[in-house]
Amino acid sequence: MPLCGYALAMISLPASLDRNSAVGLFEDVVGLLAGGATRVELDAGQVRHIDAFGAAAILEAHGAASQAGAEFRLRNVSSQTREVLALLRVDRVLSTSREVPAKEPLLARIGGWGFALTHSAVQQAALNVDGLFLTFIAPFRRKGPRVVQFIRQLNLIGTQATGIVVLISFLIGLIMALQSASQLRQFGANIYVADLVGISMTRELGPLLTAIIVAARSGSSIAAELGTMVVTEEVDALRVMGLNPRRFLVAPRFAAMVLALPCLAILADLAGITGGFVVGVFGLDIGANHYWNQTITALYTSDILSGLVKSFVFANVIAVVACHCGLSLTGGPEQVGRATTRAVVSSIIIVILADFFFTSIFYLLT
Amino acid sequence: MKTGEIFVIMGPSGCGKTTLLRTMTGLIEPLAGEVRYQGRVVKGQKALDEYRRSFGMVFQQGALLNSISIMENVALPLREHTDLPDWMIERVVEMKLAQVGLLEARNRKPMELSGGMRKRAGIARALALEPALLYFDEPSGGLDPITADGIDNLILSLTESLPVTVIVVTHELASIFKIADRVMMLRDGKIAVLSTREEVKNAKDEGVQHFIHRRAPAEEGAADAFLTEVGGGSE
């Protein structure tokens, strides 16, 4: 309780300086300082019990007084209070709180980010080269991916994703046909729904949708699995056994991804076209043969091939980003979740950027 | 390192034991100095691969591949580094698993085993290629005293029956004084003591005595500076 104000302020500390009284003490001191006190004295003569909350209030009051340019005194400290303050290492807490954390200059931070980004890009490029080598060249030298692991990954990435890829592509085909039909009907051009759905699915939406689904589904799984293997030292165990983790872990996943994704994209194309077909035939009264012939006439081999090229590139991106995020993980198990999120977000962004790049190239070429 | 000995690297947490082990096994590059094995500097990927085929390492948690069975884990180095026929690999793996008392668990996955069993399986895998050198990272860490003692006995039996040198990184005092021929204590990244276990027990070094007698150095006067600053006199 404050005994007097203005220049000299004296507070007699309560018998129990704990969680219930500590905040009040600090607020009293702050009030006195705001009232113009230039010297604050705390009398600890009556204190019989003090805990970490009380000690924190004393340290904060001391800090507030120093900041206000006021003198701070703590009187009549009993040996018991002294012991508690020593146990709570108030000296160390005070000296740490006085340390001003070194702030890195902005330019240095930008440089650091740039370096980290470049380093990561170089590592991922190297991983991509290794993945391509191990998938397409090394098998002829009997050093390719392990067959059992490759088949397991092919099942996880390809077979098990078929259902969701087909379902979503079919629904997108339906939606696209319905949306475009409402516009084209005004010009009596319903039949061009077949062109629109066919070309959009094969050139653009089939590969892109498939890549996004696979990035979310399998990219996250790869990053989490490899990240966990890093945390449990399984990757280190492979290294000390003289086994290359890229051949053991990256190659089966990379090879399965570059094989599965284009196949899934073809299924997505077919499912999307089927969706458009259902709307065209049952909703717009276009004859089944008429719709089918219109789709075949509208599509060129180059449309399908450009979609497959995109799928192959997207597969590279997803596999490399996911493997890199998993294998470059540092820290404990809590980092696995972050690596997984990073893998999905990064691969989707890079996939869309790559799609934009390819679409621009194909547009300019045609 | 003397051939056939059990060499223990001990020290408090954060002293650099694990960093030293990871450097010795080529998992991290030394900032200074070099790793030598049988008189030759281990430098470059080819030398590192050759060196790694000559030692086995047992990780703290076993570090077995969770997607394959114990048997496949132990067979992995044999399948990858040798051209032995499958029947030979199977027999060798069964013998290694029998040696560590895990033959009956050969078809189980690592996640189905207890901590002690995983460590034993890790030992079997490390022994697969009959290495001349075995590294152990915290072999008794996280195990109950009886299981830990079983691992210690296994390490002792290995050096008695096989021409193998063992390097153990640990801070488990009971293990150290049971199995070590020589002990090296690290403190702040430097060698504090390097001697036989008996000599280490009697070492004059205060830090060593604190460590082996489990005495934390007392921190005194942790409130004196503050109380002096605020004029905190006694009652």
Side-chain angles (χ1 to χ4, degrees):
Chain A
M1 177 185 291
L3 296 180
C4 57
Y6 304 112
L8 171 64
M10 189 178 279
I11 296 177
S12 182
L13 298 181
S16 180
L17 191 53
D18 55 15
R19 191 165 54 179
N20 298 322
S21 53
V23 176
L25 165 69
F26 174 68
E27 285 171 355
D28 284 349
V29 172
V30 170
L32 290 167
L33 291 168
T38 55
R39 182 185 166 99
V40 176
E41 280 194 18
L42 305 184
D43 184 352
Q46 292 178 35
V47 175
R48 295 290 168 263
H49 167 74
I50 180 170
D51 59 14
F53 301 98
I58 292 175
L59 279 185
E60 279 299 301
H62 171 257
S66 303
Q67 211 168 14
E71 200 180 334
F72 182 88
R73 285 282 174 265
L74 183 65
R75 299 276 184 223
N76 299 324
V77 179
S78 68
S79 57
Q80 194 187 352
T81 303
R82 180 182 288 269
E83 271 178 31
V84 173
L85 293 177
L87 185 72
L88 294 167
R89 308 279 189 264
V90 288
D91 280 1
R92 197 181 297 170
V93 175
L94 192 66
S95 62
T96 308
S97 67
R98 282 173 175 166
E99 283 170 11
V100 181
K103 200 174 178 184
E104 213 177 359
L106 181 66
L107 207 59
R109 269 186 284 168
I110 293 171
W113 291 331
F115 179 78
L117 199 66
T118 312
H119 181 66
S120 172
V122 169
Q123 277 191 323
Q124 290 185 54
L127 198 61
N128 205 160
V129 171
D130 268 7
L132 289 169
F133 175 82
L134 288 163
T135 304
F136 296 108
I137 299 172
F140 298 106
R141 300 179 183 181
R142 300 181 67 195
K143 285 185 176 175
R146 296 168 72 211
V147 176
V148 176
Q149 285 298 313
F150 166 69
I151 292 170
R152 181 172 166 261
Q153 291 299 326
L154 200 58
N155 180 40
L156 288 172
I157 297 169
T159 317
Q160 292 188 15
T162 307
I164 189 168
V165 166
V166 167
L167 176 68
I168 290 181
S169 305
F170 177 76
L171 291 174
I172 292 289
L174 281 177
I175 294 164
M176 253 199 318
L178 286 171
Q179 290 283 11
S180 54
S182 64
Q183 299 296 320
L184 294 170
R185 190 183 289 148
Q186 296 172 32
F187 305 101
N190 274 351
I191 187 61
Y192 290 109
V193 167
D195 299 49
L196 194 143
V197 173
I199 293 171
S200 310
M201 284 308 298
T202 50
R203 275 195 198 173
E204 195 63 45
L205 287 176
L208 188 63
L209 271 176
T210 313
I212 291 173
I213 293 167
V214 171
R217 198 182 161 279
S218 304
S220 58
S221 155
I222 290 171
E225 194 180 1
L226 296 186
T228 307
M229 290 180 82
V230 169
V231 172
T232 55
E233 295 183 311
E234 289 173 54
V235 177
D236 283 345
L238 286 174
R239 286 200 181 102
V240 296
M241 282 192 282
L243 306 176
N244 182 355
R246 289 193 175 181
R247 185 166 92 82
F248 262 77
L249 303 175
V250 176
R253 289 163 177 80
F254 185 92
M257 186 71 80
V258 295
L259 182 65
L261 203 62
C263 296
L264 286 173
I266 291 173
L267 287 176
D269 293 349
L270 291 172
I273 290 170
T274 309
F277 178 85
V278 168
V279 171
V281 173
F282 299 106
L284 306 175
D285 295 329
I286 303 171
N289 281 340
H290 193 190
Y291 189 97
W292 185 241
N293 288 335
Q294 185 69 23
T295 302
I296 290 175
T297 314
L299 286 180
Y300 293 100
T301 315
S302 62
D303 294 328
I304 297 163
L305 282 180
S306 70
L308 289 180
V309 169
K310 279 182 182 180
S311 271
F312 178 78
V313 174
F314 296 164
N316 275 256
V317 169
I318 297 166
V320 167
V321 171
C323 290
H324 175 74
C325 287
L327 289 176
S328 63
L329 181 140
T330 51
E334 74 283 358
Q335 293 297 324
V336 175
R338 297 182 73 173
T340 307
T341 308
R342 203 167 55 241
V344 175
V345 173
S346 306
S347 52
I348 289 178
I349 290 172
I350 300 172
V351 159
I352 292 175
L353 283 174
D355 188 38
F356 170 70
F357 174 76
F358 275 104
T359 305
S360 307
I361 297 277
F362 293 142
Y363 175 77
L364 291 173
L365 287 177
T366 54
Chain B
M1 224 61 71
K2 294 172 188 167
T3 306
E5 73 172 341
I6 299 179
F7 187 90
V8 172
I9 300 168
M10 70 172 192
S13 299
C15 70
K17 299 189 298 285
T18 304
T19 306
L20 178 62
L21 182 68
R22 291 175 71 80
T23 309
M24 286 194 295
T25 51
L27 286 171
I28 51 176
E29 290 220 4
L31 291 173
E34 57 199 16
V35 177
R36 280 176 173 270
Y37 179 65
Q38 294 186 333
R40 275 182 293 181
V41 178
V42 180
K43 202 167 178 69
Q45 195 56 49
K46 200 177 167 193
L48 188 59
D49 285 344
E50 199 178 318
Y51 165 56
R52 280 173 167 170
R53 275 171 217 164
S54 64
F55 72 76
M57 179 165 175
V58 182
F59 287 81
Q60 194 173 354
Q61 308 293 337
L64 302 162
L65 300 184
N66 281 313
S67 57
I68 54 178
S69 69
I70 296 302
M71 188 144 179
E72 282 305 310
N73 263 287
V74 180
L76 189 61
L78 291 164
R79 290 199 198 287
E80 293 300 320
H81 293 313
T82 69
D83 293 323
L84 294 170
D86 283 351
W87 63 264
M88 169 76 91
I89 290 176
E90 273 181 37
R91 288 296 154 274
V92 170
V93 169
E94 282 168 359
M95 279 188 267
K96 295 293 171 190
L97 284 172
Q99 196 178 346
V100 298
L102 276 182
L103 186 57
E104 283 70 30
R106 62 187 182 280
N107 292 321
R108 285 159 74 179
K109 294 270 179 78
M111 292 308 283
E112 296 166 352
L113 303 183
S114 68
M117 290 166 90
R118 278 205 291 270
K119 212 160 274 193
R120 282 173 179 274
I123 295 173
R125 184 178 66 182
L127 289 171
L129 287 169
E130 304 283 355
L133 179 61
L134 263 180
Y135 289 106
F136 283 84
D137 184 13
E138 304 279 4
S140 347
L143 299 179
D144 67 84
I146 294 171
T147 312
D149 193 56
I151 299 283
D152 290 343
N153 289 336
L154 184 57
I155 295 172
L156 284 171
S157 71
L158 290 176
T159 50
E160 281 162 14
S161 55
L162 299 169
V164 64
T165 305
V166 175
I167 298 174
V168 180
V169 165
T170 185
H171 52 223
E172 299 285 338
L173 293 167
S175 283
I176 294 167
F177 292 117
K178 177 166 183 174
I179 63 173
D181 291 318
R182 284 197 300 154
V183 177
M184 177 170 84
M185 177 161 170
L186 293 181
R187 197 168 55 227
D188 300 327
K190 294 195 171 65
I191 299 172
V193 174
L194 171 53
S195 199
T196 63
R197 69 178 166 201
E198 290 309 320
E199 285 170 349
V200 167
K201 269 185 189 170
N202 302 319
K204 296 269 188 294
D205 187 288
E206 200 182 2
V208 176
Q209 287 304 315
H210 280 152
F211 187 84
I212 61 178
H213 293 294
R214 299 166 60 100
R215 275 200 310 260
E219 287 190 62
E220 289 174 357
D224 287 355
F226 174 68
L227 291 173
T228 307
E229 187 177 323
V230 298
S234 299
E235 248 177 343

